[in-house]
Each structure stands twice: as C-alpha cells, then as structure tokens.
C-alpha cells in the first residue's frame, strides 16, 4: 500500500486543503493565504511534515498523545479487534467485551465512588452527556429547579452548543449567541492575572468564595453542579493555588451541588498522577475522560459516574433516552485498554510524577528570569509560560495574542510545536519525553523567547 502522503506534492495537498477542507478553530482567509502545514508521519515525540522537516511535539498532538507516536501494540490491538468484531452497539440490552473490560479498568484507576461508565467519542459528547444526566438526576430526586451549571471563565469543556455554554471562552459565546440559559461563569483561580496583592494561598480561598457567592445569589435550590478542570488547559494554563479545590469541594458539599472534575486534559498522567483529581485531592461526583484515554489513536471518551447519581438513575430513572451510535465502540475501547496497559507497564505516570515531570518544571523554571516572562507555571508534564509587557507590574500585552503568536511561529520554525493561548506559551508533551528531549525543548523555547524579544525591539 502506498502511504497517502506520497501520492501528492505539498503544494497539491495545500491546494486541495484550501479548496475543500474547513478546519476547526481556524481563520479561513488567513489559512488560505498562508497554506497549511501537512503533517505526514510521526514516531516517539517527533512529527515530520511533507517537506521532510522533523518537529519536536511539545503538545502531544492536542494534549492527548500521552504514550507517543508509532505504538505498534496499539495498532495491533485495533487490527485484532477489527478482525474479531469491528463494530457492535451497546444499545438494546447488548454489550461487547472491550467496553465492559475497559469500564472495570477505569473504575480501578479513578478515585473511589466512581463505579459506572458511560462511553462516547469526544470530550464534548461526554460533557453534553453530563448536562443531560445531571438534569435528569435532579428531576428524579424531586428537585426540578436545581438546573443551573456554574463553571469558570476561560474554562474549555467542548464545542457543541451546550458544552461551549459550559465553557467560559467569550469568543466562542459571541459567535453563537451563547451561553444558553442555565449556564453561568465565575472567576477562575488565576492568581497571576487576578491575585493582586494576595498570596496565592489567600487568592485560592478568595476565588473559591466566588462560587459560594454565586450559589447564594442563584439560591442553592437552583444550582445543579459546578464543573472545573483541575488545571485549566485551553483557556490559558491556569494552575490553581493548593487552597482552591479543597474549598470548592467543601462549598459544593455544603450546598448540595454536584462536583464535576473535567479530566479531559489532566487525566492519564498529565499532572504526574493518574488524574488531576489525585493531584488536587478532588472527589468528584462525575468525571469526564477523553484525549489521553486512547492517546489519540482513536476517538473515545468515558464519563465516570458516581454512585450517588447512578443509584438514582438505576432505581428511578426508567429508560435514559440518550446515547451515540459509537458509545462503547469495541475497537476504540480495545485501543484504550492497550494504551492503559502501556502507561502501566512503562510506569509513565510514576516517571512523570517523580522524575521527568519535576525535571521539566525545573528546566522551564530557568526561563522565569527572561525579561519577557511574567510567570512559569505547571505541574508534571503541563506548563504555561506567560509573556508580559511589564514584568514588575505584571502588566500583560494589549491587545493580547500577538506576541504569543510570534513566539509560537518562531518555535515551529525552529522545530518545536508549542501552543500559544493569548500570550501564554503552553506545553504538554508526550509522557515518554526523556530528559535529553526536555533539554532540547527548553533550549528551543529559550532561543525563541530571545528572538521574540528581538522582534519587539527589546
Ligand atoms: N474538556 C476539556 C478540559 C478539553 O480540553 C474538551 C473537554 C472537549 O473535548 P473534544 O474531544 O470534544 O475536543 C476539551 C478539548 C486547544 C484545544 O486548542 C483544546 C481542546 C480541544 C481542541 C483544541 O488547546 N480540548
């Protein structure tokens, strides 16, 4: 079989792409002018484009290729499952072995009390499922007014109408007249931007108080749930002070508000523990998983549901009118099982937690002295470098995003994929990244910070 990449030149791929392909989160006119970069293959922590350039993947795809590229065992697991049973659904009182086996594995890995799993194919579908399920739950327990979801500004929970409403990205809201009714947003635990004179610890408690105030304003009888990412990813890599989550959890319990930890990015070792909830000692009632669940080899998401909710659904719920053709897809579940086996066998979580993660953070920490860098923050293999106009005054660039884009483009030119969220440079490398590869990543970023400063005439 000829690899598809070899059948056309770069210019031909770019021309077809420009003419026919609508990319996600893309300015179409700008892309048509510049032409897309065509990625044709990958191995380990490296990507290659159609011109043969090798690029270090500092983002693990889109925060998801945790075991790295080119895993033959995963391809083999998919192949074997396709031969045996490529598809059968899990509707109408049927099941197939892979989703059953995967449910058991996930229940053993996740925090206690999450004993049932609902499968879908994306983080958005898992979070959409949460809204359906939680509304159903409060109806069943006779509290039909508990319907409002509270989430955080800059949160990302997906791109459907409901999950973009759950999220706190104002640009997404503006284009589709969102949020829908029943979704409200409060201050995130973003100490660097909002902490003022407070210590991070004080500010963590202060940001949590915004939840208590919002619950009081809405009335606890009207609030269904609070959802947050243990570390906010796509909204600017916001690492909460240690005082934040314990207080949020206390407030949710005190007001009978369900607690949801969106682990789509933090799950599967990203923070150096299996889940962000382990890192911050969160005991959520519901926990959506995606991305690292299959390391991106196939689309799959899993919603972990706590006993409090499932007991009611089972006892009183009758038929739950919700599900997807691909819920519990056997090949995707077989891939997830093999992916998790690799993470366990290679001790990737322990390595990121105890060795390469601290090394990554300490090497990146050296960049904090750079004149453009306001703050370096992160845990394990997730990090943000916030670029600022005036370092002592903690003043950010206005308009935001231009400097981040310059730095991101320079990184790519020098062989590194990093992500710019506004002016925060974000990194989230594959968990297999070695110390040598970390050194290389840090040296490219360091050089590109210098080049960015030079472009700004600093
Ligand atoms: N929750 C979180 C925390 C996410 O980061 C989703 C849910 C939605 O997952 P799906 O599979 O529906 O995309 C996400 C997705 C970016 C970027 O540019 C981040 C995501 C998706 C696309 C782009 O950083 N996160």
């Amino acid at each position: 079989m000829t690899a598809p990449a070899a059948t056309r030149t770069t210019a031909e791929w770019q021309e077809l792409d420009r003419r026919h392909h609508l990319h996600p989160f893309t300015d179409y006119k700008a892309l048509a002018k510049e032409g897309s970069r065509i990625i044709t293959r990958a191995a380990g922590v490296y990507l290659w484009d159609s011109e043969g350039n090798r690029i270090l993947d500092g983002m693990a795809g889109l925060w998801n290729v945790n075991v790295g590229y080119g895993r033959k065992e995963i391809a083999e697991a998919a192949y074997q499952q396709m031969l045996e049973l490529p598809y059968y659904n899990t509707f109408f009182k049927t099941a197939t072995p892979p989703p059953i086996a995967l449910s058991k594995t996930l229940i053993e890995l996740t925090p206690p009390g999450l004993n049932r799993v609902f499968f879908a194919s994306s983080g958005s579908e898992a979070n959409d499922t949460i809204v359906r399920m939680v509304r159903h739950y409060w109806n069943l327990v006779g509290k039909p007014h508990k319907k409002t979801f509270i989430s955080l500004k800059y949160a990302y929970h997906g791109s459907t109408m409901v999950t973009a409403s759950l999220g706190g990205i104002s640009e997404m809201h503006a284009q589709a007249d969102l949020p829908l009714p029943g979704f409200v947003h409060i201050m995130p635990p973003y100490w660097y931007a909002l902490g003022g004179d407070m210590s991070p610890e004080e500010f963590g408690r202060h940001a949590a108080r915004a939840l208590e105030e919002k619950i009081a304003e809405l009335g606890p009888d009207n609030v269904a749930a609070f959802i947050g990412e243990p570390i906010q990813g796509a909204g600017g890599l916001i690492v909460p002070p240690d005082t934040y989550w314990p207080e949020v959890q206390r407030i949710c319990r005190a007001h009978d508000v369900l607690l949801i930890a969106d682990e789509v990015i933090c799950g599967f070792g990203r923070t150096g523990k299996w889940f962000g909830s382990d890192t911050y000692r969160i005991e959520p009632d519901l926990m959506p998983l995606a991305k690292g669940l299959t390391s991106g080899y196939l689309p799959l998401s899993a919603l972990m549901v706590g006993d409090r909710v499932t007991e009611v659904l089972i006892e009183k719920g009758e038929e739950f009118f919700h599900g997807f053709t691909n819920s519990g897809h056997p090949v995707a579940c077989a891939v997830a099982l093999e992916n998790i086996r690799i993470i366990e066998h290679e001790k990737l979580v322990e390595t990121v937690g105890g060795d390469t993660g601290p090394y990554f953070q300490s090497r990146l920490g050296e960049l904090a002295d750079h004149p453009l860098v306001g703050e370096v923050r992160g845990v394990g293999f997730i990090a943000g470098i916030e670029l600022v106009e005036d370092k002592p005054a903690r003043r950010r660039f206005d308009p935001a995003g231009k400097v981040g884009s310059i730095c991101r483009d320079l990184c790519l030119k020098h062989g590194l994929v990093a992500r710019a969220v506004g002016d925060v440079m974000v990194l989230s490398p594959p968990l297999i990244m070695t110390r040598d590869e970390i050194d290389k990543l840090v040296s490219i970023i360091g050089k590109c910070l210098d080049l960015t400063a030079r472009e700004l005439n600093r």
Side-chain angles (χ1 to χ4, degrees):
M1 216 168 67
T2 315
T7 60
R8 289 189 165 88
T9 65
T10 302
E12 287 167 343
W13 284 122
Q14 286 175 327
E15 180 53 22
L16 283 176
D17 190 54
R18 178 183 296 126
R19 266 201 264 153
H20 302 302
H21 182 191
L22 291 174
H23 295 231
F25 282 86
T26 294
D27 175 338
Y28 299 120
K29 204 189 276 176
L31 182 70
K33 213 160 95 195
E34 291 164 30
S36 41
R37 177 179 297 265
I38 313 292
I39 300 296
T40 51
R41 68 188 174 92
V45 296
Y46 285 100
L47 305 162
W48 279 263
D49 69 15
S50 53
E51 296 294 281
N53 297 306
R54 190 177 81 150
I55 308 157
L56 186 60
D57 188 1
M59 278 306 293
L62 215 39
W63 326 73
N64 58 345
V65 188
N66 288 11
V67 299
Y69 299 94
R71 294 291 193 157
K72 290 203 169 58
E73 314 92 298
I74 296 183
E76 186 67 29
Y79 176 72
Q80 290 302 337
Q81 185 59 46
M82 279 191 185
L83 291 179
E84 178 109 357
L85 180 70
Y87 177 78
Y88 201 73
N89 66 70
T90 52
F91 285 50
F92 319 126
K93 295 191 268 188
T94 52
T96 65
I100 303 174
L102 180 58
S103 301
K104 180 165 181 299
T105 299
L106 292 175
I107 283 153
E108 286 163 2
L109 287 174
T110 51
L114 300 166
N115 287 315
R116 295 263 186 352
V117 190
F118 189 98
F119 289 107
S121 301
S122 66
S124 298
E125 286 170 321
N127 281 333
D128 222 293
T129 298
I130 288 179
V131 176
R132 299 278 313 265
M133 193 181 276
V134 165
R135 290 191 164 181
H136 184 39
Y137 167 80
W138 286 119
N139 286 339
L140 289 170
V141 297
K143 296 190 175 175
H145 298 293
K146 276 178 93 65
K147 289 291 160 58
T148 298
F149 280 75
I150 302 177
S151 62
L152 298 173
K153 291 197 175 116
Y154 311 126
Y156 191 90
H157 297 298
S159 198
T160 61
M161 289 293 281
V162 159
T163 57
S165 296
L166 263 186
I169 309 282
S170 52
E171 293 83 352
M172 292 173 77
H173 293 167
Q175 289 183 343
D177 305 320
L178 300 175
L180 298 170
F183 298 92
V184 300
H185 304 87
I186 57 171
M187 168 209 279
Y190 191 175
W191 175 78
Y192 188 77
L194 307 170
D197 295 335
M198 281 181 256
S199 70
E201 291 69 30
E202 275 175 276
F203 176 71
R205 283 185 288 271
H206 172 77
R209 260 198 307 280
L211 173 61
E212 194 141 46
E213 283 159 16
K214 184 55 84 178
I215 294 172
E217 178 195 320
L218 296 166
D221 291 345
N222 298 314
V223 180
F226 169 79
I227 183 168
E229 302 154 74
I231 292 174
Q232 283 177 253
L237 219 289
I238 301 170
V239 180
D242 287 341
T243 47
Y244 182 69
W245 276 107
E247 193 56 9
V248 162
Q249 181 151 306
R250 183 194 67 72
I251 293 165
C252 286
R253 299 283 180 258
H255 300 285
D256 200 22
V257 165
L258 293 172
L259 176 58
I260 303 157
D262 183 337
E263 295 269 4
V264 168
I265 283 179
C266 291
F268 300 95
R270 179 69 38 217
T271 65
K273 297 231 158 92
W274 270 95
F275 298 97
S277 291
D278 300 324
T279 297
Y280 293 104
R281 297 208 202 89
I282 310 166
E283 291 174 11
D285 296 297
L286 299 109
M287 181 198 260
L289 308 171
K291 294 194 188 274
L293 170 59
T294 56
S295 286
Y297 280 69
L298 278 180
L300 182 70
S301 61
L303 171 59
M304 308 303 299
V305 187
D307 298 339
R308 171 178 177 175
V309 173
T310 45
E311 275 162 20
V312 173
L313 286 187
I314 292 164
E315 282 308 309
K316 302 191 184 169
E318 299 182 354
E319 180 171 347
F320 184 35
F321 296 111
H322 175 74
F324 306 101
T325 305
N326 289 321
S327 286
H329 194 287
V331 182
C333 290
V335 161
L337 282 163
E338 184 58 19
N339 173 60
I340 292 168
R341 190 197 64 74
I342 291 172
I343 296 175
E344 285 180 326
H345 179 69
E346 298 183 6
K347 300 201 177 343
L348 295 181
V349 179
E350 293 81 349
T351 303
V352 171
D355 178 26
T356 50
Y359 183 71
F360 179 64
Q361 297 298 336
S362 94
R363 290 290 341 261
L364 286 176
E366 294 166 19
L367 302 172
D369 291 336
H370 194 280
L372 269 186
V373 174
E375 188 186 47
V376 179
R377 49 182 183 256
V379 181
F381 262 14
I382 184 167
I385 304 170
E386 179 138 5
L387 310 184
V388 291
E389 165 111 59
D390 181 339
K391 196 167 163 136
R394 276 204 238 160
R395 196 175 67 245
R396 298 188 288 163
F397 288 103
D398 185 20
K402 268 168 59 184
V403 180
S405 303
I406 293 172
C407 188
R408 190 244 351 254
D409 292 349
L410 281 164
C411 285
L412 201 50
K413 209 164 123 191
H414 289 84
L416 170 71
V417 178
R419 175 107 164 60
V421 177
D423 294 317
V424 182
M425 299 304 299
V426 173
L427 294 160
S428 165
L431 306 188
I432 55 166
M433 188 171 271
T434 61
R435 285 174 172 242
D436 283 351
E437 290 158 348
I438 291 169
D439 289 342
K440 178 151 190 225
L441 180 155
V442 174
S443 104
I444 298 177
I445 283 265
K447 181 162 67 182
C448 293
L449 287 171
D450 290 344
L451 292 170
T452 304
R454 200 181 301 164
E455 275 201 31
L456 299 174
N457 288 323
R458 293 285 188 88

